[in-house]
Amino acid sequence: EDGIGIKPHPGRGANFIHPKFGPVWATSHLGDETVALIGTDPKGHPKQAWKVVQSLEAMGGGSLFVKTHPKSKNLYVDAPLNPEADIASSVAVFDVTDLSKPYEVLPIGDWSGLTEGVRRVVQGEYNKQGTEVWFSVWNSKEQESAIVVVDDKTRKLKKVIRDKRLVTPTGKFNVFNTRADIY
C-alpha cells in the first residue's frame, strides 16, 4: 500500500502542520475514501518531501474538497459525489493535532433544514478570521439549496442561509483567503 488513492481530486487541497511530519498538503480522492497527506518541506523534513506520509480514511469516495485554516485544528472532508445520500450530505472532520482520533461526521444536509433532494454538501470555505466554515448544500436547479455556517471551534451549526435565489451555490470563495493562499 503506497497510500495513494484512486483518482485524486486536483483541487487546492489543504495545508497544515502534521504533528510528526511537519508541513503537509492534503488531497482527497474521487474514487475512494482516502485523503493523502504529502510532505511539503524539503529543507526541514527532506525524507518526507513530496511523498505520501500518511493516508486517512474518510467517509467514502466522491470527495471534491478538503479544507482547513492556519487558526484551526480541523480538516473538513466532503463527499458530494458519493452515491449514498447520507454520506453525500455530510462532512468528515479530522483533528489535525491528533490524527489517531476517529473523524467526526457533521450532518450538514440535515442541519440545512432542506427535506427534498440528495442535498450534496460541498466546498467548505472559511471566513477571513478562520472561525466559521461555510458549506454549500447543492440540490437540483428545481429544488431549494442552502449555505450552512459551522462554528469551527465547536463544530456546531451557527446559521443556515436559505433563499430561492440560491441555486446550487458554489463559487463562494473567500477572496482574501484565496489571494493570500490561506488553505
Side-chain angles (χ1 to χ4, degrees), residues 6-141:
I6 301 167
K7 297 180 190 170
H9 183 258
R12 294 185 71 151
N15 296 303
F16 63 92
I17 305 299
H18 190 284
K20 182 176 178 184
F21 301 113
V24 297
W25 175 70
T27 187
S28 58
H29 295 84
L30 297 169
D32 64 37
E33 71 281 353
T34 61
V35 178
L37 306 183
I38 299 166
T40 59
D41 184 15
K43 290 185 179 166
H45 298 82
K47 291 182 182 174
Q48 290 84 29
W50 318 126
K51 296 177 184 162
V52 175
V53 296
Q54 186 173 359
S55 183
L56 306 174
E57 285 193 20
M59 299 180 299
S63 177
L64 291 176
F65 297 97
V66 296
K67 197 67 161 184
T68 191
H69 189 279
K71 295 180 181 175
S72 177
K73 68 174 193 161
N74 295 319
L75 175 67
Y76 296 89
V77 181
D78 69 15
L81 301 181
N82 192 285
E84 298 291 327
D86 285 347
I87 294 173
S89 68
S90 300
V91 295
V93 189
F94 291 90
D95 179 343
V96 298
T97 65
D98 184 355
L99 292 165
S100 68
K101 290 182 187 177
Y103 61 81
E104 179 182 357
V105 176
L106 302 186
I108 304 293
D110 290 345
W111 289 351
S112 73
L114 301 176
T115 57
E116 61 182 6
V118 175
R119 306 174 307 179
R120 297 181 187 282
V121 174
V122 69
Q123 190 198 14
E125 182 69 25
Y126 275 88
N127 64 350
K128 183 177 179 180
Q129 298 77 16
T131 59
E132 298 175 348
V133 186
W134 293 44
F135 290 97
S136 295
V137 183
W138 283 352
N139 248 331
S140 72
K141 67 180 184 176

